[in-house]
């Protein structure tokens, strides 16, 4: 079988020479609404057409004759401000055509990112372009305006808009993500993450915390729910968090800038600046795109015992992309991304969640430095689509904690601080081949190497240092994978996937990697199968089974008493449906899921406050989700979503049946509702406003008896408005509108959590103002 890769290609606009080679199709499409015309086009040609958003309300003219597909679309869209862009041999995207001259006014105001309803939008998280309505698994998509308006969201911000995504709240650069209750621990140990973070084709995390990349110049975020082992391997037990960036464009120079300021009630002010520039270098061949930003977020937790004062944070980042088209239907994308996130202190308190202060001997800063290099080649050879993707991540994660409460456990007295320095790296190479026909298949080979190096020390007032942890670990994975979709009958299809990978975990010590006899290797097969029923072109009903596994590993070298933990395995059954009304104004997505999790790998606290890893036992997760969006009319749009789940540890490793041991972090209930209104004030002025409320239900910190703290059970609201005139946009946003003091995370410092209750209050009411200019 060929080793290989599926085309997740970016749009490539066909030239007239290429069009001449397209096979003509006999069509007779009557004049009418664009949606009806597209349905008739797809039925006649077998080619799918997607849109990045709602279907525009435009009329098309009649098109009849024996005509190539691209020319059919050109004739249908003639006289509109739309164009058709080719994605692959069987997929086109309709988008707004660039204006001439290429000085671009600001786009029409769009809401702050909200979950995009199922419909004719394109997703690529399954390593190929797909219409969302045709994807036989649970997917949520969050689309972004070309220029973020009232604020630039962080990962934790958008978790409020995506059903199924939960996060810890240790602070920027310290958080962990979980999907659909597949949560093993709130602690940042060495176990592999249950959610894989992807940036375009690059795998950017293995066992590191979420880098909290700011979503500047991002097209969308795709959340794949449930195990994704067949296409992504280990580290995808819960799903995939996929960031899709905007690529360089050949059409013309464009850019945007935005300045913002914020005021935090009971806290400090903050500022922000961001800019984007797209620059073609060679006509229709070479272009670059750059994005840069700096944000200073005001702190609101005051530490009266430390010199640094509050938990303010600074984030500085840069991303550069280069796109080269050496030949028709071939593209080369390369670039790098840098982000440096520095938080001056942590954000927990010890008295109650109503207070906004504490008294620690030391500040607890975090330094999270992220670097990504990547390159992707995509093209077509005959009937095969080829992709080669290479990426390398260098990720530094340093933090300090006040360990005075655990001083005696390390043979020290007086104030003691804990200093942890970790260096993560992930190298990933993948080669894929894919078909270009209606019955899709892809095969591929991949190589991944992830390393974790560093260590931790405790330091007393006399600057005496004692090493308490050593990190020197390397994990290598070799994999072959494939997936194929076959149509059984007219509307019923089956998708089969599998990944065979061999994992090697090695543990070393010293300044240079010197591998010790501690070595674990395992060969794993992760399968999936999905049945899908097309609901007349307006939706999909699907049933999916998938399995994924994390190989076992080794705890830090200084914890020899509990060095090895075994592999864990997760299987899930997902029954779901996506459906939209005939006019596209109402959409609904719903799913039910059952997950069985064996030998759960879990980071846990030792008596001295250090983190180790063990197998905790067996878990079961049962839940359901629903998302809907309704375009009411007169500019109003209503969206809502919710989830309910039971996620429990049911048996310990010795087989003893357990009662009421909830898996951590995941709330039992959650829900959101948002109402948006678009309006036009005059020929030049237009705007939109929205209000949103979120309920976060009760959750637990850990299934360990002495750490089973309650959290959650609060409701927060936000509101925003934007007003645009030509290229200028003014924005205002208020988060935590009612200044709620809910406990978002019942943990802050592992060395003192057993000594006193800890709380992580929500960020107080925050007002943000912004002004943006695009061209």
């Amino acid at each position: 079988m060929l080793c290989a890769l599926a085309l997740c290609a970016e749009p490539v606009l066909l030239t007239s020479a290429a069009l001449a080679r397209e096979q003509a199709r006999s069509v007779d499409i009557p004049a009418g609404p664009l949606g009806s015309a597209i349905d008739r086009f797809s039925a006649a040609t077998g080619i799918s057409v997607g849109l990045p958003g709602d279907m525009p309300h435009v009329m098309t003219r009649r098109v009849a004759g024996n005509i190539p597909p691209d020319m059919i679309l050109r004739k249908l869209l003639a006289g509109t401000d739309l164009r058709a862009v080719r994605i692959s041999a069987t997929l086109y995207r309709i988008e707004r055509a660039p204006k001439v001259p290429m000085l671009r006014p600001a786009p029409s105001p769009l809401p702050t990112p909200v979950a995009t309803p199922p419909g004719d939008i394109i997703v690529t998280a399954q390593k190929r372009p797909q219409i969302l309505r045709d994807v036989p698994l649970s997917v949520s998509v969050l689309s972004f305006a070309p220029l973020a308006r009232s604020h630039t969201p962080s990962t934790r911000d958008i978790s409020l808009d995506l059903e199924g995504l939960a996060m810890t709240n240790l602070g920027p650069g310290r958080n962990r993500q979980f999907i659909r209750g597949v949560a093993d621990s709130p602690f940042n140990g060495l176990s592999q993450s249950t959610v894989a973070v992807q940036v375009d084709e690059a795998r950017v995390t293995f066992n590191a915390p979420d880098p909290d990349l700011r979503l500047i110049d991002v097209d969308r975020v795709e959340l794949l729910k449930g195990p994704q082992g067949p296409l992504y391997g280990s580290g995808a037990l819960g799903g995939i968090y996929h960031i899709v960036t905007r690529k360089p464009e050949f059409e013309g120079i464009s850019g945007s800038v935005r300045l913002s300021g914020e005021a935090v009630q009971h806290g400090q002010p903050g500022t922000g600046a961001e800019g984007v520039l797209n620059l073609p270098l060679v006509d229709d061949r070479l272009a670059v795109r750059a994005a840069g930003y700096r944000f200073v977020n005001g702190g609101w937790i005051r530490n009266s015992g430390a010199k640094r004062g509050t938990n303010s944070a600074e984030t500085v980042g840069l991303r550069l992309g280069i796109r080269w088209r050496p030949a028709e239907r071939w593209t080369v994308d390369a670039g790098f991304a840098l982000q440096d996130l520095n938080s001056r202190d942590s954000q927990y308190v010890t008295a109650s969640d109503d207070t906004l202060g504490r008294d620690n001997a030391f500040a607890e800063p975090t330094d999270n430095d992220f670097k990504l290099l990547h390159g992707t080649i995509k093209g077509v050879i005959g009937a095969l689509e080829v992709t080669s993707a290479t990426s390398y991540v260098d990720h530094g994660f340093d933090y300090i904690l006040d360990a005075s409460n655990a001083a005696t456990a390390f043979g020290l007295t007086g104030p003691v601080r804990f200093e942890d320095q970790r260096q993560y790296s992930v190298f990933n190479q993948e080669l894929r081949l894919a078909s270009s026909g209606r019955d899709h298949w892809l095969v591929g080979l991949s190589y991944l190497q992830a390393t974790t190096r560093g260590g931790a020390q405790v330091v007393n007032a006399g600057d005496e240092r004692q090493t308490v942890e050593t990190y020197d670990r390397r994990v290598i994975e070799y994999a072959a994978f494939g997936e194929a979709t076959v149509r059984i009958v007219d509307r019923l299809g089956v998708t089969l996937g599998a990944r065979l990978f061999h994992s090697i975990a090695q543990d070393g010590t010293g300044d240079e990697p010197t591998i010790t006899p501690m070595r674990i290797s395992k060969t794993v097969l992760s399968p999936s199968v999905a049945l899908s029923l097309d609901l007349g072109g307006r939706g999909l009903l699907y049933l999916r089974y998938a399995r994924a596994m994390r190989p076992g590993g080794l705890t830090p070298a200084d914890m020899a008493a509990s060095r090895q933990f075994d592999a864990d395995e997760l299987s899930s059954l997902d029954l779901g449906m996506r459906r939209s009304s005939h006019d596209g104004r109402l959409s609904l997505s719903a799913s039910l899921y059952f997950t069985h999790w064996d030998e759960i790998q879990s980071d846990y606290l030792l008596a001295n406050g250090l983190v180790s890893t063990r197998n905790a036992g067996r878990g079961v997760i049962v839940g359901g989700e629903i998302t809907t969006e309704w375009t009411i009319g007169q500019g109003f749009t209503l969206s809502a979503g919710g989830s309910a789940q039971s996620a429990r540890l049911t048996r310990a490793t010795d087989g003893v049946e357990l009662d009421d041991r909830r898996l951590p972090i995941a709330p039992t209930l959650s829900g959101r509702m948002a109402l948006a209104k678009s309006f036009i004030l005059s020929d030049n002025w237009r705007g939109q406003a929205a209000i949103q409320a979120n309920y976060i239900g009760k959750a637990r910190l850990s299934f360990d008896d002495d750490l089973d703290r309650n959290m959650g059970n609060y409701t927060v609201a936000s509101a925003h408005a934007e007003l645009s005139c030509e290229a200028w946009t003014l924005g205002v946003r208020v988060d935590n509108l009612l200044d709620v003091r809910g406990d978002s995370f019942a943990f802050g410092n592992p060395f003192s959590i057993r000594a006193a209750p800890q709380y992580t209050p929500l960020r107080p009411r925050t007002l943000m103002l912004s002004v943006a200019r695009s061209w």
Side-chain angles (χ1 to χ4, degrees), residues 1 19 36 49 72 128 135-136 220 228 237 290 314 359 365 383 498 535 545 687 743:
M1 179 180 289
L19 300 177
S36 298
V49 180
I72 297 173
R128 59 188 172 104
V135 180
R220 64 189 183 276
Q228 306 297 323
L237 296 184
E314 179 184 42
D359 187 6
L535 302 178
Y545 169 82
D743 182 14

Side-chain angles (χ1 to χ4, degrees), residues 554-630:
L554 305 164
T555 61
D558 306 88
M559 300 177 183
S562 56
R563 295 245 41 211
Q564 185 171 333
F565 52 93
D566 295 330
D568 59 351
E569 181 177 327
L570 182 145
S571 57
S572 182
L573 192 64
D574 188 6
L575 174 63
M577 184 260 306
R578 281 188 289 272
R579 179 72 175 173
S580 60
S581 62
H582 182 74
D583 59 6
R585 295 176 59 185
L586 179 64
S587 64
L588 176 70
S589 176
S591 63
L592 299 172
Y593 54 90
F594 174 83
T595 300
H596 187 271
W597 194 359
D598 271 330
E599 297 296 333
I600 297 174
Q601 294 178 17
S602 176
D603 294 330
Y604 72 106
L605 288 185
L606 300 174
N608 58 8
L610 299 179
V611 178
S612 188
T613 308
R614 65 181 177 185
N615 294 104
R618 178 184 302 171
V620 172
I621 306 168
V622 181
E625 295 174 349
I626 186 168
T627 301
T628 184
E629 182 157 329
W630 178 28

